[in-house]
């Protein structure tokens, strides 16, 4: 089965995804990373996507459908979805497309108070090479501007400006919260207090994954 990591911007989806991937045999789908890679290509579509992302708005469902279809055609194992689905139509589409490959089995909902989120986002830095996420205040790299995991250089995202980050929070409240309710009705949601240390949160998630029948690769 497949799992979904859901939560507002800055709740720690990317951070926890990396930890899960180190222990379990999942394929990772990050909607935001995929779109940022598209932007890097510099095509006219990439330029349109860059504009939408820098404003904190969502790209079209049609573009996301194409991205998900391409991804699933190329990747066959169980997937962790980070940043998808973000609206009800996306949730319905995901359930349909996963119907013959295990469906959505668990939705991990990271809950973090709004005032903590904006602080986290303004101090986040990410590795250019491997995508590991750091925070200059809560989770700093050992050497300034250098990734602990691979030695790559660290950067800040374009949608971290306060106006864009606030817009992303509004979009989450309006469009993504209904997705959580949709999965709650199906009894798939596992709520996690995301306002604890990264290690404590991961321990809770790991235990839940093991309870759900996933085996850590190192075990
Ligand atoms: P996306 O890249 O998915 O951004 P997001 O959902 O806004 O979430 P973030 O990546 O900002 O936060 P996160 O939850 O991953 O937190 P992180 O681990 O980095 O999407 C970006 C944009 O792409 C969207 O705005 C939209 O335009 C577009 N898009 C994406 N998906 C789409 C879709 N499906 N449809 C349409 N458009 C789409 O952690 C944040 C910081 O906090 C880090 O510095 C980290 O070190 C720190 N931190 C993490 N956990 C803790 C902790 N427990 N304690 C202290 N600090 C912590
Ligand atoms: Mg992320």
């Amino acid at each position: 089965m497949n799992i979904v990591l859901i939560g507002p911007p800055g709740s720690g989806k990317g951070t926890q995804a990396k930890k899960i991937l180190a222990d379990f045999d999942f394929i990772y789908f990050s909607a935001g990373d995929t779109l940022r890679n598209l932007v890097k290509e510099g095509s006219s579509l990439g330029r349109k996507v860059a504009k939408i992302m820098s404003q904190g708005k969502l790209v079209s469902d049609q573009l996301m459908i194409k991205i998900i279809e391409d991804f699933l055609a190329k990747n066959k194992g169980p997937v962790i979805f980070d940043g998808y689905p973000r609206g009800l139509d996306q949730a319905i589409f995901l359930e349909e497309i996963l119907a013959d490959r295990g469906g959505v089995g668990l939705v991990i909902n990271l809950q973090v108070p709004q005032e903590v989120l904006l602080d986290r986002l303004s101090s986040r830095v990410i590795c250019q090479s491997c995508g590991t996420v750091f925070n200059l205040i809560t989770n700093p790299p050992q050497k300034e501007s250098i990734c602990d995991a691979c030695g790559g250089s660290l950067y800040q995202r374009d949608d971290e400006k306060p106006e864009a980050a606030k817009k992303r929070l509004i979009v989450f409240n309006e469009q993504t919260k209904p997705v959580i309710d949709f999965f709650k009705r199906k009894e798939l949601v596992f709520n996690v207090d995301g306002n604890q240390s990264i290690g404590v949160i991961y321990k809770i998630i790991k235990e839940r994954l093991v309870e759900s029948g996933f085996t850590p690769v190192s075990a």
Side-chain angles (χ1 to χ4, degrees):
M1 74 184 184
N2 304 279
I3 64 175
V4 170
L5 269 174
I6 205 161
S11 57
K13 302 181 294 295
T15 301
Q16 294 298 328
K18 287 278 173 196
K19 295 188 87 65
I20 296 170
L21 291 167
D23 275 344
F24 294 88
D25 212 0
F26 282 103
I27 305 163
Y28 181 42
F29 176 78
S30 162
D33 289 352
T34 308
L35 291 168
R36 281 182 285 277
N37 286 336
L38 184 64
V39 167
K40 268 193 221 153
E41 286 170 15
S43 62
S44 78
L45 175 63
R47 283 193 292 277
K48 279 187 202 148
V49 167
K51 187 167 173 216
I52 295 169
M53 289 177 81
S54 69
Q55 294 170 337
K57 298 177 183 167
L58 297 184
V59 307
S60 73
D61 284 351
Q62 288 70 23
L63 173 60
M64 288 312 301
I65 286 174
K66 191 177 174 319
I67 288 174
I68 294 278
E69 284 176 343
D70 284 356
F71 176 84
L72 290 175
K74 288 184 198 135
N75 295 283
K76 292 301 172 199
V79 180
I80 305 180
F81 290 90
D82 163 359
Y84 194 91
R86 276 179 133 93
L88 276 179
D89 289 344
Q90 293 188 1
I92 292 164
F93 173 76
L94 187 66
E95 283 216 314
E96 281 170 10
I97 201 166
L98 293 179
D100 61 355
R101 40 187 290 171
V104 175
L106 181 66
V107 176
I108 298 171
N109 178 27
L110 292 169
Q111 299 176 304
V112 179
Q114 200 126 322
E115 58 279 11
V116 176
L117 297 169
L118 290 173
D119 280 349
R120 278 193 191 175
L121 291 174
S122 60
S123 45
R124 169 171 58 191
V125 285
I126 304 170
C127 176
Q128 301 261 22
S129 309
C130 73
T132 298
V133 183
F134 298 90
N135 191 286
L136 297 175
I137 296 161
T138 61
N139 176 31
Q142 285 171 7
K143 284 190 205 148
E144 200 186 324
S145 309
I146 296 190
C147 175
D148 293 352
C150 77
S153 53
L154 304 178
Y155 77 103
Q156 271 199 300
R157 267 169 45 179
D158 288 340
D159 57 355
E160 255 29 321
K161 293 188 196 85
E163 317 82 72
K166 278 185 200 147
K167 176 68 185 171
R168 278 156 60 210
L169 276 173
I170 293 169
V171 169
F172 172 80
N173 285 325
E174 290 179 356
Q175 303 199 40
T176 311
K177 274 192 178 161
V179 173
I180 300 172
D181 294 334
F182 170 88
F183 285 121
K184 268 189 187 152
R185 288 194 289 276
K186 296 170 183 275
E187 300 186 353
L188 291 174
V189 175
F190 178 59
N191 290 322
V192 182
D193 175 1
N195 197 17
Q196 314 177 71
S197 77
I198 292 170
V200 168
I201 296 166
Y202 180 60
K203 188 167 174 282
I204 294 168
I205 292 176
K206 186 174 178 179
E207 277 168 13
R208 185 66 176 79
L209 288 173
V210 170
E211 264 171 39
S212 300
F214 294 102
T215 312
V217 276
S218 52

